[in-house]
Structures are given as C-alpha cells and as structure tokens.
Amino acid sequence: MEKNMQPGSVYAIKEGKDAVEQHTLSILVDNEPGVLARVIGLFSGRGYNIESLTVSETEHLKHRSRITIVTRGSPAVIEQIKAQLGRLVPVHRVIDLSVESKAIERELMLIKVRGSGEHRSEALRLAEAFRARVIDATTESFVFELTGKTDKLDQFIILMQPLGLVEVSRTGVAAIARGPEVT
C-alpha cells in the first residue's frame, strides 16, 4: 500500500507539489434555473471530476442555494477551480471547507442487504455496531439507514458485500463550517 493511502480507498495520495488532495467546496449561488448546469459545466468542460454533489435552497427569502462539491486535484488545480467558480455570475461565495475551517461533513446512505441465517444475524450485528437503523425488513432482506462521514459509510459497504449487499443509495456530502461565523 502506498504511503498516505487510506484503507479501502481507491485513490493513492501523492506527496509533493503535485499531490492529489480532496477538497469540499461550499458554493452559495442564486436559486434560479440553469445555475447548477453552469457550475457543473465548468467542471466537465475542464475535465475536473466531482466525487460528491449536494444542492438545496438554504436561504428562501434571498432565493439562494448552497452547492456542496467534493473534488480532488493538485493544490494548483483546486485553486483554479475556486477562482473559476468565483467568476461565474450567479455565484456569491466559494468557501473551501477543507482549508478555511474545520468542517462538519456528513452523508446519508440507504443500503439494501439480502440474507438469511448466519448472514442475516451478522448484518444486524454490524448494523448495530455502526448505529445503522433498520428502516425496512422482510424475511429475505433489510434496508438500513446510516449517517456519518464518508469513510464510515464506505467501510459499512465493504463489510456488507460478503453478507448479501444488493443496492446502495447515497445523498452526497453535506458540510458546514464549525463556529458562529457564516460561511
């Protein structure tokens, strides 16, 4: 395993000036048609990948939405992404939550597991250890709801695969800065 590679991660993180880093960007935009397409177009047009995307209106009276994007790149690429996002007309603010402050990041996942006998018991035991809630159960399957950091959800998926993992649905990362300041 390469140095600085996270267990279960598919990405090796290089060291040095070309190091690939994961960043969570919080983008405050006008809530109007086409804004999300413009932001996504910036990424696709320049060959940047989006690992997670969450969008919702957060300021109803001002008609503003927050787009939370998780992406990877070298420090230079991340700076370029932030600068280009900041130049888009409907964008009010771009905050790199990975740099600006310690952020709280969470994701919601629904995961369906099929199993019987020992596999069923093991799936329930692991769900309890991960504080996953059973939100649907049949005699042949469960649907668990799990909230937490992305790596916690990834680990739960890995553990459920040999027990009968059927399907996974995830919300993407929602993030907010700690402290009393507005981001």
Side-chain angles (χ1 to χ4, degrees), residues 33-61:
V35 173
L36 180 60
R38 291 180 70 191
V39 170
I40 301 309
L42 184 146
F43 278 79
S44 65
R46 289 159 180 81
Y48 305 143
N49 188 42
I50 295 175
E51 294 187 9
S52 173
L53 171 68
T54 308
V55 184
S56 183
E57 184 177 63
T58 56
E59 298 178 33
H60 184 69
L61 294 177

Side-chain angles (χ1 to χ4, degrees), residues 78 102 169 174 180:
I78 298 296
K102 291 290 183 186
S169 180

Side-chain angles (χ1 to χ4, degrees), residues 93-145:
R93 190 168 52 238
V94 178
I95 303 293
D96 187 343
L97 293 173
S98 305
V99 174
E100 299 292 330
S101 63
K102 291 290 183 186
I104 299 167
E105 295 184 6
R106 292 293 182 268
E107 189 174 359
L108 170 69
M109 173 175 71
L110 301 177
I111 181 169
K112 187 184 298 181
V113 179
R114 179 183 319 139
S116 60
E118 188 63 35
H119 283 172
R120 187 174 177 86
S121 299
E122 182 67 6
L124 283 170
R125 187 186 67 73
L126 287 169
E128 185 176 334
F130 275 78
R131 295 190 181 122
R133 291 185 334 132
V134 176
I135 59 170
D136 185 59
T138 69
T139 56
E140 299 175 359
S141 68
F142 291 106
V143 175
F144 298 109
E145 174 187 75

Side-chain angles (χ1 to χ4, degrees), residues 72-83:
R72 286 185 185 266
S74 68
V77 167
I78 298 296
E79 287 305 314
Q80 185 177 25
I81 290 171
K82 293 188 304 190

Side-chain angles (χ1 to χ4, degrees), residues 28 59 66 93 95 177 179-183:
L28 188 63
E59 298 178 33
R66 184 174 307 273
R93 190 168 52 238
I95 303 293
E181 296 82 24
V182 175
T183 56

